[in-house]
């Protein structure tokens, strides 16, 4: 695809046609057509996935059209790519199976295009000329006059003035626009992102051109010339889309309005005050920032359980409403609390409508069945709460069971698969955040912290020495942290690569390798409402032991802007040089690029949600950032191997310790030749222990997705584990220590029935930041050497060069690198 500025400008005025390889580069919420012109076969599932993600139309060549139409794809989402010479080869099946035709023609022949359009009476006609220069504005007008749309390659488009070989995109857009006014201006309706009218203005060719290219709201004042909206008032606009009306004599500018609003009276619209859902959103956003502590609204924002209860209460009342008035009243109540949830999460009507638009474009649908907890059994009676309680207690939490005996290669491979991580989608979501922090630094960081972490801050960084009152922790917790610190430090100090490796590879040729600490490291510690001093310990101690000069610890602040005292205390103990009060992609961006207050780092460590993971992967691939990361991350996982000696309650507890992390946690039990009774006892323990947990709702979703794999021997079980490469591997085996030598792939191994994974998570000494998603095949967990880099050196004596030089010169000659060979020969010559 071409440069980003051109694509962004094109996205403001019309659909973009791309190849499959360029889909991920298309900006969000842009009309996009995907052409399969150079594809040799059809992957219907892939096409469905594109359409489900919002691709407007698929443009299919004639040789693939029949198969794609036969697959049942709707005609309104298909267009035919057709060479003008092959019109007669189009069957009625193909003609009726598409809603558009992309006509490839060597030249623009209006009469020919007109006759083809009559053959495809119910289809939109797009004309793509293969000549090396763009259509003229006259060509464009003539095509549009017969309801045909020109398709212009980006190689023939420019943001600069029009030339013979490139047409300015604004000139192409304006070609069809006409004015019935004596001054040549175009009436322009300005609307919000959600399509609500803001005002009526006028545009000129010059103002429209500037708006398309810059993405800013620019109009034409009838008295004062160009009017760059917000230039003096600060109420600027970002262009979402510019479109013409059906008669091509007026425009709509859909914009994101900043500041007090569009109107000079400091309100959003010139026509009236906003109403309905936009008014509700505005009110709730105001209350989010200004509602006094203790007020009902503040309680709704601060108490998730209260808000959840109100949403469920209003949803229930809506379900029981009967007459029109009651349905409207209860629906309004539900909208109020639902919008409260949305505003609290930084979601507005625009994002909701975008999601609805995307759902409307989906081709494949889920079955539509309600989730089990919302389905009332036919025999259940609302008046008998005892019966309802009995049904709940009978809802056994159970894992699936698979036997490796006789399983096919394909089925075994399926067992080893993790859920697909939608990294491409997440990259698109985090990129604007990263770009904004990179461009605006601390200002953007403070805005995102207010939006995502709900904390209003005046500064982003806490520098040492840290105030004692910020590190006041419960005495028992302090003792536990101190003991964990000592154990983790002891184990990680033993890992320091202190000695220089020196090897004389041949007489007079000495090679060495030595370690140096990475100077500046960033440690991401998930937080906010959670308290995770263990992660701060696991990342901070090896950085401290390795001798890193700058340790920047990033963690989301709490609602009052503070950091949990436990994390503050650990930051003090590990010698953190700065604490960044931010989370998510914005924190990763700040550490990767640096801001006025946030030091730039050389490597970023730490776990996080999918936003954090996507941000880490994105910045490590940006050569401007010059930053690396510890490893890719995914949902937490454990694989337990148990034989006849295993304690069922211990095994169940280990499985649940990972299952409670999240609904996407991966939990596998490999049962080695276990008797039916033994396996049943483990399953009973899983059910009983799970129902005693506070995170039962999470476990109810994660455990049914988990698997019991039956193996006939320890060797078969370990082979399966090595193929799976789990984050945590627990061995409940008779001779567990003897089995460790057979483990090839695992993040960390827990040997024996009295070694729970929890100890590694907190205080045994090993690190709990481990590779997931199968990356244990090629990645290690975080360790002291993760915070070091290794440098090699070599020193050669004259005699050493005499012996080595001919080998080097010969290889350099072989590769055709004459200067390399000369650097040796010139020295050998001087020595002789």
């Amino acid at each position: 695809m071409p440069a980003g500025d051109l694509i962004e400008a094109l996205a403001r005025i019309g659909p973009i046609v791309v190849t499959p390889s360029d889909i991920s580069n298309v900006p969000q919420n842009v009309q996009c057509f995907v052409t399969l012109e150079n594809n040799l076969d059809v992957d219907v599932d892939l096409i469905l996935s594109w359409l489900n993600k919002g691709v407007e139309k698929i443009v299919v060549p004639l040789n693939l059209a029949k198969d794609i139409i036969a697959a049942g794809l709707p005609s309104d989402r298909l267009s035919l790519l057709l060479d003008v010479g092959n019109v007669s080869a189009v069957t009625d099946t193909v003609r009726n199976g598409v809603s558009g035709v992309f006509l490839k023609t060597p030249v623009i022949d209006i009469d020919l295009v007109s006759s083809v359009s009559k053959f495809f009476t119910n289809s939109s006609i797009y004309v793509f000329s293969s000549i090396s220069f763009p259509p003229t504005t006259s060509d464009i007008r003539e095509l549009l006059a017969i309801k045909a749309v020109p398709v212009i390659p980006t190689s023939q488009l420019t943001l600069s003035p029009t030339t013979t070989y490139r047409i300015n995109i604004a000139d192409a857009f304006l070609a069809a626009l006409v004015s019935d006014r004596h001054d040549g201006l175009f009436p322009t309706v300005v609307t919000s992102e959600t399509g609500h009218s803001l005002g009526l203005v006028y545009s000129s060719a010059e103002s429209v051109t500037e708006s398309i290219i810059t993405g800013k709201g620019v109009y034409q004042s009838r008295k004062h010339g160009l009017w760059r909206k917000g230039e003096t008032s600060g109420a600027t606009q970002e262009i979402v889309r510019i479109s013409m009306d059906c008669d091509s004599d007026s425009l709509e500018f859909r914009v994101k309005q900043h500041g007090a609003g569009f109107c000079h009276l400091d309100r959003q619209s010139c026509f009236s005050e906003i109403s309905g859902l936009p008014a509700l959103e505005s009110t709730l956003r105001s209350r989010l920032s200004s509602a006094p502590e203790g007020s009902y609204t503040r309680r709704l924002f601060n108490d998730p359980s209260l808000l959840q209860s109100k949403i469920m209460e209003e949803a229930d009342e809506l379900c029981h409403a009967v007459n029109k008035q009651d349905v409207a009243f209860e629906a309004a109540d539900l909208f109020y609390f639902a919008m409260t949830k949305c505003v609290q999460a930084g979601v507005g009507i625009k994002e909701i409508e975008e999601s609805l638009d995307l759902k409307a474009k989906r081709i494949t649908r889920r079955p539509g069945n309600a989730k089990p907890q919302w389905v009332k059994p036919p025999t259940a009676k609302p008046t008998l709460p005892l019966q309802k309680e009995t049904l709940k207690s009978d809802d056994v939490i159970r894992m699936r069971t698979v036997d490796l005996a006789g399983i096919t290669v394909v089925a075994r491979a399926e067992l080893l698969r993790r859920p697909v991580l939608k990294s491409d989608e997440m990259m698109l979501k985090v990129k604007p955040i990263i770009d904004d922090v990179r461009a605006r630094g601390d200002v953007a960081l403070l805005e995102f912290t207010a939006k995502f972490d709900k904390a209003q801050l005046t500064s982003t960084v806490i520098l040492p020495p840290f105030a004692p009152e910020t590190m006041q922790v419960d005495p028992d917790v302090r003792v536990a942290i101190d003991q964990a610190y000592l154990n983790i430090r002891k184990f990680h100090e033993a890992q320091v690569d202190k000695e220089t490796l020196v090897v004389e590879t041949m007489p007079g040729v000495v090679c060495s390798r030595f370690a140096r600490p990475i100077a500046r490291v960033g440690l991401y510690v998930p937080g906010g409402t959670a308290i995770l001093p263990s992660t701060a310990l696991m990342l901070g101690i090896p950085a401290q032991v390795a001798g890193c000069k700058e340790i920047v610890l990033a963690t989301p602040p709490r609602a009052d802007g503070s950091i949990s005292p436990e994390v503050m205390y650990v930051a003090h103990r590990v010698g953190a040089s700065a604490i960044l009060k931010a989370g998510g992609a914005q924190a990763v961006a700040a550490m990767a690029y640096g801001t006025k207050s946030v030091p730039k780092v050389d490597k970023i460590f730490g776990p996080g949600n999918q936003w954090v993971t996507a941000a880490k992967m994105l910045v490590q691939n940006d050569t401007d950032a010059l930053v690396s990361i510890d490893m890719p991350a995914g949902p937490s996982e454990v694989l337990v191997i148990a034989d006849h000696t295993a304690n069922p309650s211990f095994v169940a507890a280990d499985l649940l310790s990972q299952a409670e992390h999240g609904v996407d946690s991966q939990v596998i039990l490999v049962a080695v030749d276990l008797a039916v009774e033994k396996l049943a006892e483990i399953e009973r323990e899983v059910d009983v222990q799970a129902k005693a947990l506070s995170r039962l709702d999470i476990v109810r979703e994660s455990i049914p997705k988990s698997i019991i794999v039956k193996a006939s021997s320890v060797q078969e079980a370990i082979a399966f584990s090595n193929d799976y490469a789990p984050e945590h591997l627990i061995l409940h085996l008779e001779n567990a220590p003897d089995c460790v030598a057979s483990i090839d792939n695992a993040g960390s191994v827990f040997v024996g029935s009295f070694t729970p994974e929890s100890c590694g998570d907190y205080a045994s000494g090993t690190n709990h930041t481990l590779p997931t998603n199968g990356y244990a095949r090629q990645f290690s967990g975080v360790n002291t050497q993760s915070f070091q880099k290794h440098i090699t050196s070599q020193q050669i004596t004259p005699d050493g060069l005499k012996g080595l030089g001919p080998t080097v010169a010969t290889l350099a000659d072989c590769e055709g690198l004459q200067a390399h060979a000369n650097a040796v020969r010139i020295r050998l010559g001087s020595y002789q």
Side-chain angles (χ1 to χ4, degrees), residues 3-44:
D5 289 346
L6 179 60
I7 289 298
E8 288 180 6
L10 288 170
R12 297 178 188 120
I13 58 175
I16 299 174
V17 184
V18 299
T19 61
S21 61
D22 282 327
I23 292 178
S24 60
N25 298 324
V26 176
Q28 281 185 299
N29 306 314
V30 171
Q31 275 189 306
C32 171
F33 295 5
V34 175
T35 175
L36 304 181
E37 180 173 10
N38 296 318
N39 287 49
L40 300 178
D41 56 9
V42 178
D43 186 339
V44 174

Short mmCIF file of all heavy atoms in Angstrom, two decimals, residues 3-44:
data_model
loop_
_atom_site.label_atom_id
_atom_site.label_comp_id
_atom_site.label_asym_id
_atom_site.label_seq_id
_atom_site.Cartn_x
_atom_site.Cartn_y
_atom_site.Cartn_z
N ALA A 3 1.89 5.40 0.93
CA ALA A 3 2.14 6.07 2.21
C ALA A 3 0.85 6.31 2.97
O ALA A 3 -0.22 6.49 2.38
CB ALA A 3 2.87 7.38 1.95
N GLY A 4 0.98 6.36 4.29
CA GLY A 4 -0.19 6.48 5.16
C GLY A 4 -1.01 7.72 4.92
O GLY A 4 -2.24 7.70 5.01
N ASP A 5 -0.35 8.89 4.63
CA ASP A 5 -1.11 10.13 4.43
C ASP A 5 -2.08 10.01 3.27
O ASP A 5 -3.22 10.50 3.34
CB ASP A 5 -0.14 11.29 4.17
CG ASP A 5 0.64 11.68 5.43
OD1 ASP A 5 0.23 11.23 6.52
OD2 ASP A 5 1.64 12.41 5.31
N LEU A 6 -1.66 9.37 2.19
CA LEU A 6 -2.54 9.22 1.03
C LEU A 6 -3.71 8.31 1.36
O LEU A 6 -4.87 8.61 1.03
CB LEU A 6 -1.75 8.66 -0.16
CG LEU A 6 -2.56 8.41 -1.45
CD1 LEU A 6 -3.18 9.72 -1.96
CD2 LEU A 6 -1.68 7.79 -2.53
N ILE A 7 -3.44 7.18 2.04
CA ILE A 7 -4.51 6.26 2.41
C ILE A 7 -5.50 6.93 3.36
O ILE A 7 -6.71 6.78 3.22
CB ILE A 7 -3.92 4.98 3.04
CG1 ILE A 7 -3.23 4.15 1.97
CG2 ILE A 7 -5.01 4.15 3.71
CD1 ILE A 7 -4.14 3.66 0.88
N GLU A 8 -4.99 7.68 4.34
CA GLU A 8 -5.88 8.36 5.28
C GLU A 8 -6.76 9.37 4.56
O GLU A 8 -7.95 9.51 4.87
CB GLU A 8 -5.06 9.04 6.37
CG GLU A 8 -4.43 8.06 7.36
CD GLU A 8 -3.62 8.75 8.43
OE1 GLU A 8 -3.65 10.00 8.46
OE2 GLU A 8 -2.97 8.06 9.23
N ALA A 9 -6.21 10.08 3.59
CA ALA A 9 -7.00 11.05 2.83
C ALA A 9 -8.05 10.33 1.99
O ALA A 9 -9.21 10.76 1.94
CB ALA A 9 -6.08 11.89 1.95
N LEU A 10 -7.67 9.23 1.34
CA LEU A 10 -8.64 8.47 0.54
C LEU A 10 -9.78 7.93 1.40
O LEU A 10 -10.93 7.89 0.98
CB LEU A 10 -7.93 7.31 -0.17
CG LEU A 10 -7.00 7.68 -1.33
CD1 LEU A 10 -6.19 6.48 -1.76
CD2 LEU A 10 -7.82 8.22 -2.50
N ALA A 11 -9.44 7.53 2.63
CA ALA A 11 -10.44 6.96 3.52
C ALA A 11 -11.52 7.97 3.89
O ALA A 11 -12.61 7.59 4.31
CB ALA A 11 -9.77 6.43 4.79
N ARG A 12 -11.22 9.26 3.73
CA ARG A 12 -12.20 10.29 4.09
C ARG A 12 -13.26 10.49 3.01
O ARG A 12 -14.27 11.14 3.26
CB ARG A 12 -11.48 11.62 4.35
CG ARG A 12 -10.52 11.56 5.52
CD ARG A 12 -9.77 12.87 5.73
NE ARG A 12 -8.73 12.68 6.74
CZ ARG A 12 -7.44 12.86 6.54
NH1 ARG A 12 -7.01 13.28 5.35
NH2 ARG A 12 -6.58 12.63 7.50
N ILE A 13 -13.03 9.96 1.81
CA ILE A 13 -13.95 10.28 0.71
C ILE A 13 -14.55 9.07 0.00
O ILE A 13 -15.51 9.23 -0.76
CB ILE A 13 -13.26 11.18 -0.34
CG1 ILE A 13 -12.01 10.51 -0.91
CG2 ILE A 13 -12.95 12.54 0.24
CD1 ILE A 13 -11.36 11.29 -2.04
N GLY A 14 -14.02 7.88 0.22
CA GLY A 14 -14.62 6.80 -0.55
C GLY A 14 -14.06 5.44 -0.20
O GLY A 14 -13.09 5.34 0.56
N PRO A 15 -14.64 4.41 -0.77
CA PRO A 15 -14.14 3.07 -0.50
C PRO A 15 -12.75 2.87 -1.08
O PRO A 15 -12.38 3.52 -2.07
CB PRO A 15 -15.17 2.16 -1.17
CG PRO A 15 -15.84 3.01 -2.19
CD PRO A 15 -15.82 4.40 -1.66
N ILE A 16 -11.99 1.99 -0.47
CA ILE A 16 -10.64 1.66 -0.92
C ILE A 16 -10.63 0.21 -1.35
O ILE A 16 -11.17 -0.66 -0.67
CB ILE A 16 -9.63 1.87 0.22
CG1 ILE A 16 -9.62 3.33 0.67
CG2 ILE A 16 -8.24 1.45 -0.20
CD1 ILE A 16 -8.75 3.59 1.88
N VAL A 17 -10.03 -0.06 -2.50
CA VAL A 17 -9.90 -1.43 -3.00
C VAL A 17 -8.49 -1.91 -2.67
O VAL A 17 -7.50 -1.26 -3.05
CB VAL A 17 -10.15 -1.50 -4.52
CG1 VAL A 17 -10.10 -2.95 -4.99
CG2 VAL A 17 -11.49 -0.87 -4.87
N VAL A 18 -8.38 -3.04 -1.97
CA VAL A 18 -7.06 -3.56 -1.56
C VAL A 18 -6.95 -5.03 -1.88
O VAL A 18 -7.96 -5.72 -2.12
CB VAL A 18 -6.82 -3.35 -0.05
CG1 VAL A 18 -6.86 -1.88 0.32
CG2 VAL A 18 -7.82 -4.13 0.78
N THR A 19 -5.73 -5.53 -1.87
CA THR A 19 -5.48 -6.96 -1.99
C THR A 19 -5.56 -7.60 -0.61
O THR A 19 -5.46 -6.89 0.40
CB THR A 19 -4.10 -7.22 -2.60
OG1 THR A 19 -3.11 -6.67 -1.73
CG2 THR A 19 -3.98 -6.57 -3.98
N PRO A 20 -5.70 -8.92 -0.52
CA PRO A 20 -5.77 -9.56 0.81
C PRO A 20 -4.58 -9.24 1.71
O PRO A 20 -4.74 -9.09 2.92
CB PRO A 20 -5.81 -11.06 0.46
CG PRO A 20 -6.48 -11.11 -0.88
CD PRO A 20 -5.98 -9.89 -1.60
N SER A 21 -3.40 -9.09 1.14
CA SER A 21 -2.21 -8.84 1.97
C SER A 21 -2.22 -7.46 2.60
O SER A 21 -1.48 -7.20 3.55
CB SER A 21 -0.95 -9.01 1.13
OG SER A 21 -0.93 -8.07 0.06
N ASP A 22 -3.08 -6.55 2.08
CA ASP A 22 -3.09 -5.18 2.59
C ASP A 22 -4.27 -4.90 3.53
O ASP A 22 -4.42 -3.77 4.00
CB ASP A 22 -3.16 -4.18 1.42
CG ASP A 22 -1.81 -4.00 0.76
OD1 ASP A 22 -0.80 -4.09 1.47
OD2 ASP A 22 -1.77 -3.79 -0.46
N ILE A 23 -5.10 -5.92 3.81
CA ILE A 23 -6.28 -5.68 4.64
C ILE A 23 -5.91 -5.10 6.00
O ILE A 23 -6.54 -4.17 6.50
CB ILE A 23 -7.09 -6.98 4.83
CG1 ILE A 23 -7.71 -7.41 3.49
CG2 ILE A 23 -8.19 -6.81 5.87
CD1 ILE A 23 -8.48 -8.72 3.56
N SER A 24 -4.85 -5.64 6.60
CA SER A 24 -4.48 -5.22 7.95
C SER A 24 -3.98 -3.77 7.99
O SER A 24 -3.91 -3.17 9.06
CB SER A 24 -3.41 -6.14 8.53
OG SER A 24 -2.25 -6.11 7.73
N ASN A 25 -3.63 -3.19 6.83
CA ASN A 25 -3.12 -1.82 6.80
C ASN A 25 -4.20 -0.78 6.58
O ASN A 25 -3.93 0.42 6.59
CB ASN A 25 -2.07 -1.68 5.68
CG ASN A 25 -0.87 -2.57 5.90
OD1 ASN A 25 -0.45 -2.76 7.03
ND2 ASN A 25 -0.33 -3.14 4.84
N VAL A 26 -5.44 -1.23 6.35
CA VAL A 26 -6.53 -0.29 6.10
C VAL A 26 -6.98 0.32 7.43
O VAL A 26 -7.19 -0.40 8.41
CB VAL A 26 -7.72 -1.01 5.42
CG1 VAL A 26 -8.89 -0.05 5.24
CG2 VAL A 26 -7.29 -1.57 4.08
N PRO A 27 -7.12 1.65 7.51
CA PRO A 27 -7.59 2.28 8.75
C PRO A 27 -8.95 1.73 9.17
O PRO A 27 -9.74 1.25 8.34
CB PRO A 27 -7.69 3.77 8.38
CG PRO A 27 -6.79 3.93 7.21
CD PRO A 27 -6.84 2.64 6.45
N GLN A 28 -9.23 1.79 10.48
CA GLN A 28 -10.49 1.28 11.00
C GLN A 28 -11.67 2.06 10.44
O GLN A 28 -11.58 3.25 10.15
CB GLN A 28 -10.51 1.37 12.53
CG GLN A 28 -9.73 0.25 13.22
CD GLN A 28 -9.89 0.31 14.72
OE1 GLN A 28 -9.52 1.28 15.34
NE2 GLN A 28 -10.45 -0.74 15.30
N ASN A 29 -12.81 1.37 10.33
CA ASN A 29 -14.09 1.97 9.96
C ASN A 29 -14.06 2.65 8.59
O ASN A 29 -14.69 3.68 8.38
CB ASN A 29 -14.55 2.98 11.04
CG ASN A 29 -14.58 2.35 12.42
OD1 ASN A 29 -15.08 1.25 12.59
ND2 ASN A 29 -14.02 3.05 13.40
N VAL A 30 -13.27 2.09 7.69
CA VAL A 30 -13.19 2.61 6.32
C VAL A 30 -13.83 1.61 5.38
O VAL A 30 -13.62 0.40 5.52
CB VAL A 30 -11.72 2.85 5.93
CG1 VAL A 30 -11.61 3.18 4.45
CG2 VAL A 30 -11.13 3.97 6.76
N GLN A 31 -14.65 2.12 4.45
CA GLN A 31 -15.24 1.23 3.45
C GLN A 31 -14.10 0.58 2.66
O GLN A 31 -13.26 1.26 2.09
CB GLN A 31 -16.14 2.02 2.51
CG GLN A 31 -17.56 2.20 3.02
CD GLN A 31 -18.44 2.78 1.94
OE1 GLN A 31 -18.15 3.81 1.36
NE2 GLN A 31 -19.53 2.11 1.65
N CYS A 32 -14.13 -0.73 2.62
CA CYS A 32 -13.02 -1.46 2.02
C CYS A 32 -13.54 -2.57 1.12
O CYS A 32 -14.39 -3.36 1.52
CB CYS A 32 -12.13 -2.03 3.13
SG CYS A 32 -10.85 -3.15 2.57
N PHE A 33 -13.05 -2.62 -0.13
CA PHE A 33 -13.31 -3.73 -1.04
C PHE A 33 -12.02 -4.54 -1.15
O PHE A 33 -10.93 -3.98 -1.19
CB PHE A 33 -13.68 -3.24 -2.44
CG PHE A 33 -14.98 -2.46 -2.53
CD1 PHE A 33 -15.71 -2.14 -1.40
CD2 PHE A 33 -15.46 -2.05 -3.77
CE1 PHE A 33 -16.89 -1.42 -1.50
CE2 PHE A 33 -16.64 -1.33 -3.88
CZ PHE A 33 -17.36 -1.02 -2.73
N VAL A 34 -12.14 -5.86 -1.20
CA VAL A 34 -10.97 -6.73 -1.34
C VAL A 34 -11.03 -7.43 -2.68
O VAL A 34 -12.02 -8.10 -3.00
CB VAL A 34 -10.91 -7.77 -0.20
CG1 VAL A 34 -9.74 -8.73 -0.43
CG2 VAL A 34 -10.75 -7.08 1.15
N THR A 35 -9.98 -7.26 -3.47
CA THR A 35 -9.94 -7.88 -4.79
C THR A 35 -9.13 -9.17 -4.76
O THR A 35 -8.05 -9.23 -4.18
CB THR A 35 -9.36 -6.92 -5.84
OG1 THR A 35 -9.23 -7.62 -7.09
CG2 THR A 35 -8.00 -6.40 -5.43
N LEU A 36 -9.66 -10.21 -5.39
CA LEU A 36 -8.99 -11.51 -5.47
C LEU A 36 -8.39 -11.73 -6.86
O LEU A 36 -8.24 -12.86 -7.32
CB LEU A 36 -9.99 -12.63 -5.16
CG LEU A 36 -10.73 -12.56 -3.82
CD1 LEU A 36 -11.65 -13.76 -3.66
CD2 LEU A 36 -9.75 -12.49 -2.68
N GLU A 37 -8.02 -10.66 -7.52
CA GLU A 37 -7.60 -10.73 -8.93
C GLU A 37 -6.50 -11.74 -9.17
O GLU A 37 -6.54 -12.50 -10.13
CB GLU A 37 -7.15 -9.35 -9.41
CG GLU A 37 -6.70 -9.35 -10.87
CD GLU A 37 -6.40 -7.96 -11.40
OE1 GLU A 37 -6.37 -7.01 -10.59
OE2 GLU A 37 -6.23 -7.82 -12.61
N ASN A 38 -5.51 -11.79 -8.30
CA ASN A 38 -4.36 -12.67 -8.54
C ASN A 38 -4.41 -13.96 -7.75
O ASN A 38 -3.42 -14.68 -7.65
CB ASN A 38 -3.06 -11.91 -8.24
CG ASN A 38 -2.87 -10.73 -9.17
OD1 ASN A 38 -3.11 -10.83 -10.36
ND2 ASN A 38 -2.45 -9.59 -8.61
N ASN A 39 -5.55 -14.26 -7.14
CA ASN A 39 -5.67 -15.50 -6.38
C ASN A 39 -6.03 -16.66 -7.30
O ASN A 39 -6.87 -16.52 -8.20
CB ASN A 39 -6.75 -15.36 -5.31
CG ASN A 39 -6.29 -14.48 -4.16
OD1 ASN A 39 -5.79 -13.38 -4.38
ND2 ASN A 39 -6.44 -14.95 -2.94
N LEU A 40 -5.41 -17.83 -7.04
CA LEU A 40 -5.63 -18.98 -7.91
C LEU A 40 -6.72 -19.91 -7.39
O LEU A 40 -7.25 -20.73 -8.14
CB LEU A 40 -4.32 -19.77 -8.05
CG LEU A 40 -3.14 -18.97 -8.66
CD1 LEU A 40 -1.90 -19.84 -8.69
CD2 LEU A 40 -3.50 -18.48 -10.05
N ASP A 41 -7.03 -19.82 -6.11
CA ASP A 41 -8.08 -20.69 -5.58
C ASP A 41 -8.95 -19.91 -4.60
O ASP A 41 -8.73 -18.73 -4.36
CB ASP A 41 -7.47 -21.92 -4.90
CG ASP A 41 -6.48 -21.52 -3.80
OD1 ASP A 41 -6.41 -20.31 -3.48
OD2 ASP A 41 -5.79 -22.41 -3.27
N VAL A 42 -9.93 -20.59 -4.04
CA VAL A 42 -10.94 -19.94 -3.19
C VAL A 42 -10.88 -20.52 -1.79
O VAL A 42 -10.92 -21.73 -1.61
CB VAL A 42 -12.36 -20.16 -3.77
CG1 VAL A 42 -13.39 -19.52 -2.87
CG2 VAL A 42 -12.45 -19.59 -5.18
N ASP A 43 -10.72 -19.66 -0.80
CA ASP A 43 -10.83 -20.05 0.60
C ASP A 43 -12.07 -19.35 1.15
O ASP A 43 -12.02 -18.21 1.61
CB ASP A 43 -9.58 -19.64 1.38
CG ASP A 43 -9.59 -20.17 2.82
OD1 ASP A 43 -10.69 -20.48 3.32
OD2 ASP A 43 -8.52 -20.24 3.44
N VAL A 44 -13.21 -20.05 1.08
CA VAL A 44 -14.48 -19.43 1.45
C VAL A 44 -14.48 -19.01 2.91
O VAL A 44 -15.00 -17.94 3.26
CB VAL A 44 -15.65 -20.40 1.16
CG1 VAL A 44 -16.96 -19.82 1.68
CG2 VAL A 44 -15.75 -20.67 -0.33
#
